Amino acid sequence: MESILNSVTTDDLLYRMIFDYYIEDEECMVVTIKDVAKRANVAPSTVSRVIADSSRISLDTKKRVRKAMKELGYYPNVNARNLAVRSSQAIGVIMPSSAETALQNPFFPEVLRGIGSTAHETEYSLYVSTGGNDEQLFEEVKRMVYGNRVDGMILLYSRVADPIMDFLVEANFPFVVIGKPYEQESRITYVDNDNYHASLELTNHLIDYGHRHIAFIGGTTDLVVTMDRLRGYRSALKKANLDFKDDYIVHDEFLRSSGRKAVERLFSLKKPPTAMVIADDMMSLGVINMLEEFGVDCPEDVSITSFNNLYLSELIRPALTTVDIQIYMLGVQSAKCLIEKLKHKEEPAKRIIIPYSIKFRNSTKNIN
Amino acid sequence: MESILNSVTTDDLLYRMIFDYYIEDEECMVVTIKDVAKRANVAPSTVSRVIADSSRISLDTKKRVRKAMKELGYYPNVNARNLAVRSSQAIGVIMPSSAETALQNPFFPEVLRGIGSTAHETEYSLYVSTGGNDEQLFEEVKRMVYGNRVDGMILLYSRVADPIMDFLVEANFPFVVIGKPYEQESRITYVDNDNYHASLELTNHLIDYGHRHIAFIGGTTDLVVTMDRLRGYRSALKKANLDFKDDYIVHDEFLRSSGRKAVERLFSLKKPPTAMVIADDMMSLGVINMLEEFGVDCPEDVSITSFNNLYLSELIRPALTTVDIQIYMLGVQSAKCLIEKLKHKEEPAKRIIIPYSIKFRNSTKNIN
DNA sequence: CATCTTCGTGCAAACGAATGCGCTTTTGGT
DNA sequence: ACCAAAAGCGCATTCGTTTGCACGAAGATG
């Protein structure tokens, strides 16, 4: 009798404790798979199988379990899940080391948006790199890989002799790169534009417009994309029997001060260019700005074409003639590729070329 | 006898399988805490304590263990760790729903860079939202919170009656917002600029320059930042005894088509504005573009001032007079705040105001 | 009416690390 | 020399899931 009384009191107390607890910190009320199981009168394993929508569970049970989950507000603990299945349903996104102001380029949020879109559809999460300099970045990649933080990675850039890329192929870790890998091209899956032909076409357009003195301004030469665009430019010149002058090539980060020197040099040549192919809309912005300081007008005195078709390239004056590389699409496809690869481990290396199109606007002038 | 034979063969096979496996996929050779323990001749628990740099372990042992870790290339499994300690050393970054092209704003990569920087220092990882529309975003936040995916969150925007923010305070989940919360201001920690005074000062500058007809162009009115900037503008007008005209106020997403209408309306007024306060550099870009179409020159015919001091605001023509809100710093501080809060659970709600400064450039003209 | 499938579940052992507690040593004080 | 305290370390449990295997109950087959 007494024991019953005790028992009752204890239960009562317990109930109130739980109740109070519940009131205080709702977020701490962790409801686990066991709670759900209890409420649905099944074993935890059954609940787990319901979550996975296993065919081995009857519809009746599934419904009952799902109801219990709803009622309890159950959300699976990812960490436990990931530990058990040794994966993380997350993909790592590696930006170039943020030391470079390249990050200010709207290219990144846009490509991130694309990646995020397909990641979301497939219930993957996004992990983005935070590393400041190259070394930190590398360290972080290692942590992601070895620490089981992500199942795969997307590299948002491609440079020559990139230790991170080397590391990833070495470790046989699934990844895709946006841009063309510098080496082992056939063994790495990547999504890219046909930058070579885009550049060629762009340059041809300038040639068609009567330009014979065309400069090329690109970013650091260790970016593969820069080199591809340069190659396209050279080919176009060659095919038109125009000679290629080293003086017309500028490689620069294009932050203000250094950019100034570049433009200064270009326009103090005995024969300054009447047109330029610039590897990135943001650079064009910088160039146009410099140009103005030197009293050179675009497109009157010099025509400008560039790449990426950023949102703002249409807003500035003059609106840029630029190649639309479909940034968003690059993101979408790279994520799709990666996830495909994660699902079927032995998926072969792929290459996906996103079509480009040239947006003709008014930064170029026909001087025929 | 036969069973022994069998057993041997099986073991042998198994061994070879493991061996092959080892050769094939290096990354699968997961080295755990136990392996390290074995190699260092200690118990796994000791290794764990070495990792945590516990004072209970002698320096000798620590060194030995660390050596073993290096040699084996040990990296802790985050999932296991997180499961055990019930945290994740990750912070969630919530961007506005990516449906809006707002994402193209370089504000985001820049603030991300700031967050990433301090996250990296403190060994936190970054989880970014991928949600497309508001609903998806909400769902994702729930998954992050309930699923133990992140320890805390940073909201990159603040709007009125945001269900996500409500949810987070309701769940008592640690978060900080960049921008001023619409309600419960005193209970939410946030980092912001003094947008009111910045706007006031900016408007005063235009008034000092002799402008009497000043328009305000802002984004959607449900962004708190927009409202703050609008308030500053109104105050300045009032103090200068200028009357506030509804005709001079435009709220718009400022994508091309809609933006056109806005500018059109503004400049077909009997008394068009001679100056404007614009809530964002990107918008200014759009406005300037429209202006040109209408044959209105900036700064000759109309002065423009705006906010954010994006990298590009200095590059465009005319270079924008804009308030530098220190985007990077906003990111850094918000992350610091959050991490502080995570460390000391009962940290009070804070408010951090990042100082602003006005960059005077040539988009404004003195018409006295 | 046995035997054999299928079907629906539950049991228990992983997954890799953290940690309370207890067991040895050492150290220091008297 | 003795005892207490402290230092250094290991055992075993825990975190919340997944999953191979086994088990029991139907239904099908002979």
Side-chain angles (χ1 to χ4, degrees):
Chain A
M1 188 61 187
E2 197 156 318
S3 85
I4 290 182
L5 249 167
N6 269 333
S7 153
V8 168
T9 335
T10 311
D11 272 349
D12 193 2
L13 259 174
L14 195 62
Y15 173 74
R16 280 159 62 183
M17 278 177 58
I18 290 174
F19 192 72
D20 285 343
Y21 195 51
Y22 191 81
I23 296 280
E24 295 248 331
D25 302 80
E26 299 190 19
E27 101 276 15
C28 281
M29 258 311 292
V30 273
V31 15
T32 75
I33 210 172
K34 287 178 194 162
D35 302 320
V36 176
K38 220 163 277 169
R39 182 174 250 261
N41 274 321
V42 293
S45 50
T46 304
V47 178
S48 172
R49 279 187 255 265
V50 171
I51 294 171
D53 204 19
S54 158
S55 61
R56 291 174 50 186
I57 305 294
S58 67
L59 206 64
D60 277 12
T61 316
K62 277 187 188 171
K63 275 182 189 157
R64 217 168 63 242
V65 171
R66 290 208 178 104
K67 184 154 159 279
M69 296 193 334
K70 270 272 181 297
E71 288 170 356
L72 265 52
Y74 168 77
Y75 277 80
N77 180 315
V78 263
N79 293 318
R81 169 167 215 290
N82 293 345
L83 178 57
V85 302
R86 278 197 230 59
S87 95
S88 58
Q89 288 286 308
I91 80 190
V93 176
I94 310 299
M95 307 216 193
S97 53
S98 69
E100 308 169 25
T101 28
L103 265 191
Q104 283 249 10
N105 200 310
F107 172 86
F108 293 103
E110 183 66 359
V111 75
L112 215 56
R113 196 168 67 89
I115 295 173
S117 148
T118 92
H120 188 88
E121 279 173 19
T122 47
E123 308 246 284
Y124 271 84
S125 310
L126 248 48
Y127 232 91
V128 318
S129 67
T130 65
N133 58 42
D134 285 351
E135 202 176 341
Q136 290 176 334
L137 195 57
F138 194 14
E139 195 51 40
E140 192 161 1
V141 168
K142 280 200 225 157
R143 269 181 20 210
M144 284 193 190
V145 171
Y146 291 132
N148 253 275
R149 251 170 251 261
V150 300
D151 293 344
M153 290 200 183
I154 300 181
L155 258 61
L156 259 38
Y157 65 92
S158 165
R159 59 171 36 136
V160 318
D162 183 26
I164 291 184
M165 196 143 94
D166 291 348
F167 167 76
L168 290 175
V169 325
E170 184 69 24
N172 195 20
F173 193 80
F175 74 101
V176 347
V177 4
I178 293 187
K180 192 170 68 183
Y182 178 60
E183 44 191 10
Q184 312 206 50
E185 199 191 314
S186 60
R187 302 184 50 203
I188 295 174
T189 111
Y190 65 94
V191 5
D192 195 13
N193 306 101
D194 187 345
N195 281 302
Y196 170 79
H197 281 104
S199 185
L200 190 133
E201 200 176 322
L202 204 55
T203 313
N204 276 337
H205 171 240
L206 292 172
I207 294 172
D208 287 348
Y209 265 22
H211 294 280
R212 293 294 171 265
H213 303 277
I214 307 173
F216 178 91
I217 302 186
T220 54
T221 53
D222 58 351
L223 250 33
V224 176
V225 58
T226 306
M227 298 317 285
D228 278 353
R229 289 172 182 173
L230 178 58
R231 274 177 40 235
Y233 156 84
R234 295 186 72 150
S235 285
L237 291 192
K238 182 174 250 173
K239 279 177 192 156
N241 281 317
L242 297 175
D243 44 325
F244 171 84
K245 295 196 218 161
D246 274 335
D247 281 347
Y248 279 176
I249 309 299
V250 172
H251 287 292
D252 219 309
E253 282 287 355
F254 246 90
L255 310 180
R256 276 133 292 192
S257 53
S258 56
R260 170 167 296 117
K261 276 199 305 262
V263 171
E264 196 170 10
R265 221 194 59 210
L266 229 37
F267 285 88
S268 54
L269 290 175
K270 49 261 142 209
K271 184 60 209 167
T274 63
M276 341 201 216
V277 175
I278 303 180
D280 183 298
D281 287 344
M282 284 300 276
M283 284 188 197
S284 293
L285 209 56
V287 171
I288 292 178
N289 183 356
M290 296 301 155
L291 252 30
E292 193 177 28
E293 282 188 23
F294 289 95
V296 180
D297 184 79
C298 169
E300 272 317 309
D301 306 326
V302 64
S303 289
I304 283 185
T305 61
S306 62
F307 289 84
N308 287 12
N309 191 31
L310 299 178
Y311 172 65
L312 58 83
S313 63
E314 177 168 11
L315 295 182
I316 62 174
R317 296 183 299 169
L320 295 176
T321 288
T322 183
V323 353
D324 181 4
I325 61 171
Q326 301 200 67
I327 304 177
Y328 181 82
M329 202 57 175
L330 285 169
V332 169
Q333 289 298 328
S334 61
K336 274 218 176 102
C337 251
L338 181 60
I339 289 166
E340 192 81 2
K341 199 169 180 155
L342 295 180
K343 288 229 168 70
H344 315 289
K345 201 70 187 193
E346 283 315 331
E347 197 79 2
K350 285 182 207 158
R351 180 184 59 167
I352 294 188
I353 302 299
I354 304 292
Y356 65 88
S357 66
I358 300 185
K359 302 291 180 194
F360 296 98
R361 295 200 269 251
N362 35 39
S363 61
T364 54
K365 189 190 171 197
N366 192 329
I367 61 173
N368 282 321
Chain B
M1 189 59 191
E2 197 155 317
S3 88
I4 291 182
L5 250 166
N6 268 333
S7 151
V8 168
T9 333
T10 310
D11 272 349
D12 193 0
L13 259 175
L14 195 62
Y15 173 72
R16 279 161 63 184
M17 277 176 59
I18 290 174
F19 192 73
D20 285 343
Y21 196 51
Y22 187 84
I23 296 281
E24 295 250 329
D25 304 79
E26 298 190 20
E27 99 277 15
C28 282
M29 254 315 290
V30 274
V31 14
T32 76
I33 210 172
K34 286 178 196 162
D35 302 321
V36 177
K38 218 164 279 169
R39 182 174 251 263
N41 275 321
V42 293
S45 50
T46 305
V47 177
S48 172
R49 281 186 252 267
V50 171
I51 295 171
D53 204 18
S54 156
S55 61
R56 291 174 49 185
I57 306 294
S58 69
L59 206 66
D60 276 12
T61 315
K62 278 187 187 172
K63 274 184 189 155
R64 216 169 61 244
V65 171
R66 291 209 177 103
K67 183 154 159 279
M69 297 193 334
K70 269 272 180 299
E71 289 170 355
L72 265 52
Y74 169 76
Y75 278 79
N77 180 316
V78 263
N79 293 318
R81 169 167 216 289
N82 295 345
L83 177 58
V85 303
R86 278 194 228 59
S87 94
S88 58
Q89 288 286 308
I91 81 189
V93 177
I94 310 299
M95 307 217 193
S97 54
S98 69
E100 308 169 26
T101 26
L103 265 190
Q104 284 250 8
N105 200 312
F107 173 86
F108 294 103
E110 183 65 1
V111 75
L112 214 58
R113 196 169 67 89
I115 295 173
S117 149
T118 90
H120 189 87
E121 280 173 19
T122 48
E123 306 244 286
Y124 272 83
S125 309
L126 249 47
Y127 232 90
V128 318
S129 67
T130 64
N133 58 42
D134 285 351
E135 201 175 342
Q136 290 177 332
L137 195 58
F138 195 14
E139 194 52 40
E140 191 161 2
V141 168
K142 280 201 227 156
R143 269 181 22 210
M144 284 195 191
V145 171
Y146 290 132
N148 254 274
R149 252 170 249 261
V150 299
D151 294 343
M153 290 200 184
I154 299 181
L155 258 60
L156 261 36
Y157 64 92
S158 165
R159 59 169 36 137
V160 318
D162 183 27
I164 292 184
M165 197 143 93
D166 291 348
F167 167 76
L168 290 175
V169 325
E170 184 68 24
N172 196 19
F173 193 80
F175 75 100
V176 348
V177 2
I178 293 188
K180 192 170 69 184
Y182 179 59
E183 45 192 9
Q184 311 206 49
E185 199 191 314
S186 60
R187 301 185 49 203
I188 295 174
T189 111
Y190 63 95
V191 5
D192 195 12
N193 306 101
D194 187 346
N195 281 302
Y196 170 79
H197 281 105
S199 185
L200 190 133
E201 199 176 322
L202 205 53
T203 313
N204 276 338
H205 171 239
L206 291 172
I207 295 173
D208 288 348
Y209 265 22
H211 294 280
R212 294 295 171 264
H213 303 276
I214 306 173
F216 178 91
I217 301 186
T220 54
T221 54
D222 59 351
L223 250 33
V224 176
V225 59
T226 305
M227 298 318 285
D228 278 354
R229 288 171 183 175
L230 179 57
R231 276 176 40 235
Y233 157 84
R234 295 186 72 149
S235 286
L237 290 192
K238 182 175 249 171
K239 278 178 194 155
N241 282 318
L242 297 176
D243 45 326
F244 172 84
K245 295 196 219 163
D246 273 335
D247 281 347
Y248 278 176
I249 308 299
V250 173
H251 287 292
D252 218 308
E253 282 287 355
F254 245 89
L255 311 180
R256 275 132 295 189
S257 53
S258 57
R260 170 169 296 116
K261 276 200 306 270
V263 171
E264 197 170 9
R265 220 193 61 210
L266 229 38
F267 285 89
S268 53
L269 291 174
K270 49 261 141 207
K271 184 59 210 165
T274 64
M276 341 202 216
V277 175
I278 302 180
D280 183 298
D281 288 343
M282 283 300 276
M283 285 187 197
S284 294
L285 208 55
V287 171
I288 292 178
N289 182 11
M290 296 300 155
L291 252 30
E292 193 178 27
E293 280 189 24
F294 289 95
V296 180
D297 184 79
C298 168
E300 273 318 308
D301 306 324
V302 62
S303 289
I304 283 186
T305 60
S306 64
F307 289 84
N308 287 13
N309 191 31
L310 298 178
Y311 173 65
L312 57 83
S313 63
E314 176 167 16
L315 295 183
I316 62 173
R317 299 181 299 166
L320 295 176
T321 288
T322 184
V323 356
D324 181 3
I325 62 171
Q326 299 199 67
I327 304 178
Y328 181 81
M329 203 57 176
L330 285 170
V332 168
Q333 289 298 328
S334 62
K336 275 217 176 103
C337 252
L338 180 60
I339 289 166
E340 192 81 1
K341 199 170 180 153
L342 296 179
K343 287 230 169 70
H344 315 290
K345 201 72 186 188
E346 282 316 329
E347 197 80 1
K350 286 182 208 159
R351 180 184 59 165
I352 294 188
I353 301 299
I354 304 291
Y356 65 88
S357 66
I358 301 185
K359 301 291 179 193
F360 296 98
R361 295 199 270 250
N362 35 37
S363 62
T364 54
K365 188 191 172 196
N366 192 328
I367 62 172
N368 282 322

PDB file of all heavy atoms in Angstrom, chain B residues 204-219:
ATOM      1  N   ASN B 204      21.379  65.342 -44.748  1.00  0.00           N
ATOM      2  CA  ASN B 204      21.866  66.679 -44.410  1.00  0.00           C
ATOM      3  C   ASN B 204      22.930  67.145 -45.390  1.00  0.00           C
ATOM      4  O   ASN B 204      22.979  68.313 -45.755  1.00  0.00           O
ATOM      5  CB  ASN B 204      22.458  66.686 -42.992  1.00  0.00           C
ATOM      6  CG  ASN B 204      21.368  66.869 -41.954  1.00  0.00           C
ATOM      7  OD1 ASN B 204      20.280  67.375 -42.273  1.00  0.00           O
ATOM      8  ND2 ASN B 204      21.643  66.457 -40.735  1.00  0.00           N
ATOM      9  N   HIS B 205      23.750  66.218 -45.768  1.00  0.00           N
ATOM     10  CA  HIS B 205      24.790  66.562 -46.721  1.00  0.00           C
ATOM     11  C   HIS B 205      24.183  67.115 -48.006  1.00  0.00           C
ATOM     12  O   HIS B 205      24.635  68.111 -48.558  1.00  0.00           O
ATOM     13  CB  HIS B 205      25.655  65.336 -47.009  1.00  0.00           C
ATOM     14  CG  HIS B 205      26.621  65.536 -48.127  1.00  0.00           C
ATOM     15  ND1 HIS B 205      26.619  64.759 -49.257  1.00  0.00           N
ATOM     16  CD2 HIS B 205      27.621  66.442 -48.282  1.00  0.00           C
ATOM     17  CE1 HIS B 205      27.579  65.175 -50.069  1.00  0.00           C
ATOM     18  NE2 HIS B 205      28.207  66.183 -49.499  1.00  0.00           N
ATOM     19  N   LEU B 206      23.127  66.465 -48.444  1.00  0.00           N
ATOM     20  CA  LEU B 206      22.453  66.934 -49.657  1.00  0.00           C
ATOM     21  C   LEU B 206      21.837  68.314 -49.418  1.00  0.00           C
ATOM     22  O   LEU B 206      21.898  69.202 -50.275  1.00  0.00           O
ATOM     23  CB  LEU B 206      21.372  65.939 -50.074  1.00  0.00           C
ATOM     24  CG  LEU B 206      21.905  64.599 -50.577  1.00  0.00           C
ATOM     25  CD1 LEU B 206      20.778  63.604 -50.778  1.00  0.00           C
ATOM     26  CD2 LEU B 206      22.693  64.785 -51.871  1.00  0.00           C
ATOM     27  N   ILE B 207      21.274  68.486 -48.247  1.00  0.00           N
ATOM     28  CA  ILE B 207      20.661  69.779 -47.918  1.00  0.00           C
ATOM     29  C   ILE B 207      21.728  70.862 -47.879  1.00  0.00           C
ATOM     30  O   ILE B 207      21.545  71.951 -48.417  1.00  0.00           O
ATOM     31  CB  ILE B 207      19.915  69.674 -46.575  1.00  0.00           C
ATOM     32  CG1 ILE B 207      18.735  68.692 -46.721  1.00  0.00           C
ATOM     33  CG2 ILE B 207      19.404  71.042 -46.134  1.00  0.00           C
ATOM     34  CD1 ILE B 207      18.017  68.366 -45.437  1.00  0.00           C
ATOM     35  N   ASP B 208      22.851  70.528 -47.261  1.00  0.00           N
ATOM     36  CA  ASP B 208      23.964  71.477 -47.229  1.00  0.00           C
ATOM     37  C   ASP B 208      24.379  71.884 -48.637  1.00  0.00           C
ATOM     38  O   ASP B 208      24.804  72.992 -48.880  1.00  0.00           O
ATOM     39  CB  ASP B 208      25.189  70.852 -46.536  1.00  0.00           C
ATOM     40  CG  ASP B 208      24.972  70.732 -45.039  1.00  0.00           C
ATOM     41  OD1 ASP B 208      23.997  71.323 -44.533  1.00  0.00           O
ATOM     42  OD2 ASP B 208      25.774  70.035 -44.391  1.00  0.00           O
ATOM     43  N   TYR B 209      24.282  70.941 -49.516  1.00  0.00           N
ATOM     44  CA  TYR B 209      24.662  71.209 -50.905  1.00  0.00           C
ATOM     45  C   TYR B 209      23.574  71.984 -51.635  1.00  0.00           C
ATOM     46  O   TYR B 209      23.653  72.175 -52.842  1.00  0.00           O
ATOM     47  CB  TYR B 209      24.931  69.887 -51.632  1.00  0.00           C
ATOM     48  CG  TYR B 209      26.391  69.486 -51.648  1.00  0.00           C
ATOM     49  CD1 TYR B 209      27.290  69.986 -50.705  1.00  0.00           C
ATOM     50  CD2 TYR B 209      26.875  68.621 -52.621  1.00  0.00           C
ATOM     51  CE1 TYR B 209      28.617  69.619 -50.716  1.00  0.00           C
ATOM     52  CE2 TYR B 209      28.209  68.255 -52.661  1.00  0.00           C
ATOM     53  CZ  TYR B 209      29.082  68.751 -51.693  1.00  0.00           C
ATOM     54  OH  TYR B 209      30.400  68.392 -51.722  1.00  0.00           O
ATOM     55  N   GLY B 210      22.571  72.413 -50.905  1.00  0.00           N
ATOM     56  CA  GLY B 210      21.567  73.268 -51.513  1.00  0.00           C
ATOM     57  C   GLY B 210      20.360  72.550 -52.083  1.00  0.00           C
ATOM     58  O   GLY B 210      19.484  73.168 -52.690  1.00  0.00           O
ATOM     59  N   HIS B 211      20.282  71.274 -51.871  1.00  0.00           N
ATOM     60  CA  HIS B 211      19.144  70.550 -52.422  1.00  0.00           C
ATOM     61  C   HIS B 211      17.920  70.713 -51.539  1.00  0.00           C
ATOM     62  O   HIS B 211      18.004  70.649 -50.316  1.00  0.00           O
ATOM     63  CB  HIS B 211      19.485  69.063 -52.581  1.00  0.00           C
ATOM     64  CG  HIS B 211      20.552  68.827 -53.603  1.00  0.00           C
ATOM     65  ND1 HIS B 211      20.297  68.807 -54.949  1.00  0.00           N
ATOM     66  CD2 HIS B 211      21.908  68.650 -53.465  1.00  0.00           C
ATOM     67  CE1 HIS B 211      21.440  68.598 -55.603  1.00  0.00           C
ATOM     68  NE2 HIS B 211      22.433  68.519 -54.729  1.00  0.00           N
ATOM     69  N   ARG B 212      16.810  70.934 -52.170  1.00  0.00           N
ATOM     70  CA  ARG B 212      15.562  71.115 -51.438  1.00  0.00           C
ATOM     71  C   ARG B 212      14.531  70.063 -51.835  1.00  0.00           C
ATOM     72  O   ARG B 212      13.539  69.875 -51.177  1.00  0.00           O
ATOM     73  CB  ARG B 212      14.982  72.527 -51.700  1.00  0.00           C
ATOM     74  CG  ARG B 212      15.837  73.650 -51.155  1.00  0.00           C
ATOM     75  CD  ARG B 212      15.906  73.615 -49.623  1.00  0.00           C
ATOM     76  NE  ARG B 212      16.885  74.560 -49.086  1.00  0.00           N
ATOM     77  CZ  ARG B 212      18.130  74.243 -48.752  1.00  0.00           C
ATOM     78  NH1 ARG B 212      18.562  73.006 -48.922  1.00  0.00           N
ATOM     79  NH2 ARG B 212      18.949  75.143 -48.253  1.00  0.00           N
ATOM     80  N   HIS B 213      14.785  69.448 -52.944  1.00  0.00           N
ATOM     81  CA  HIS B 213      13.841  68.446 -53.441  1.00  0.00           C
ATOM     82  C   HIS B 213      14.569  67.103 -53.484  1.00  0.00           C
ATOM     83  O   HIS B 213      15.256  66.787 -54.439  1.00  0.00           O
ATOM     84  CB  HIS B 213      13.321  68.836 -54.825  1.00  0.00           C
ATOM     85  CG  HIS B 213      12.687  70.182 -54.813  1.00  0.00           C
ATOM     86  ND1 HIS B 213      11.382  70.381 -54.437  1.00  0.00           N
ATOM     87  CD2 HIS B 213      13.186  71.419 -55.079  1.00  0.00           C
ATOM     88  CE1 HIS B 213      11.098  71.663 -54.490  1.00  0.00           C
ATOM     89  NE2 HIS B 213      12.187  72.322 -54.882  1.00  0.00           N
ATOM     90  N   ILE B 214      14.384  66.382 -52.405  1.00  0.00           N
ATOM     91  CA  ILE B 214      15.150  65.153 -52.248  1.00  0.00           C
ATOM     92  C   ILE B 214      14.233  63.945 -52.191  1.00  0.00           C
ATOM     93  O   ILE B 214      13.298  63.899 -51.390  1.00  0.00           O
ATOM     94  CB  ILE B 214      15.987  65.220 -50.957  1.00  0.00           C
ATOM     95  CG1 ILE B 214      16.851  66.487 -50.959  1.00  0.00           C
ATOM     96  CG2 ILE B 214      16.850  63.981 -50.820  1.00  0.00           C
ATOM     97  CD1 ILE B 214      17.593  66.730 -49.672  1.00  0.00           C
ATOM     98  N   ALA B 215      14.482  63.003 -53.042  1.00  0.00           N
ATOM     99  CA  ALA B 215      13.658  61.794 -53.062  1.00  0.00           C
ATOM    100  C   ALA B 215      14.324  60.685 -52.266  1.00  0.00           C
ATOM    101  O   ALA B 215      15.525  60.740 -51.983  1.00  0.00           O
ATOM    102  CB  ALA B 215      13.438  61.340 -54.504  1.00  0.00           C
ATOM    103  N   PHE B 216      13.524  59.719 -51.909  1.00  0.00           N
ATOM    104  CA  PHE B 216      14.060  58.545 -51.213  1.00  0.00           C
ATOM    105  C   PHE B 216      13.652  57.294 -51.968  1.00  0.00           C
ATOM    106  O   PHE B 216      12.482  57.094 -52.287  1.00  0.00           O
ATOM    107  CB  PHE B 216      13.522  58.474 -49.792  1.00  0.00           C
ATOM    108  CG  PHE B 216      14.003  57.265 -49.037  1.00  0.00           C
ATOM    109  CD1 PHE B 216      15.170  57.323 -48.278  1.00  0.00           C
ATOM    110  CD2 PHE B 216      13.307  56.071 -49.096  1.00  0.00           C
ATOM    111  CE1 PHE B 216      15.626  56.213 -47.590  1.00  0.00           C
ATOM    112  CE2 PHE B 216      13.760  54.940 -48.410  1.00  0.00           C
ATOM    113  CZ  PHE B 216      14.922  55.017 -47.653  1.00  0.00           C
ATOM    114  N   ILE B 217      14.618  56.462 -52.264  1.00  0.00           N
ATOM    115  CA  ILE B 217      14.308  55.205 -52.936  1.00  0.00           C
ATOM    116  C   ILE B 217      14.792  54.058 -52.083  1.00  0.00           C
ATOM    117  O   ILE B 217      15.975  53.969 -51.750  1.00  0.00           O
ATOM    118  CB  ILE B 217      14.972  55.133 -54.318  1.00  0.00           C
ATOM    119  CG1 ILE B 217      14.486  56.313 -55.170  1.00  0.00           C
ATOM    120  CG2 ILE B 217      14.655  53.823 -54.996  1.00  0.00           C
ATOM    121  CD1 ILE B 217      14.968  56.269 -56.593  1.00  0.00           C
ATOM    122  N   GLY B 218      13.873  53.213 -51.713  1.00  0.00           N
ATOM    123  CA  GLY B 218      14.248  52.109 -50.835  1.00  0.00           C
ATOM    124  C   GLY B 218      13.732  50.794 -51.352  1.00  0.00           C
ATOM    125  O   GLY B 218      12.975  50.746 -52.316  1.00  0.00           O
ATOM    126  N   GLY B 219      14.191  49.722 -50.709  1.00  0.00           N
ATOM    127  CA  GLY B 219      13.717  48.395 -51.096  1.00  0.00           C
ATOM    128  C   GLY B 219      12.362  48.114 -50.484  1.00  0.00           C
ATOM    129  O   GLY B 219      11.637  49.033 -50.102  1.00  0.00           O
TER     130      GLY B 219
END
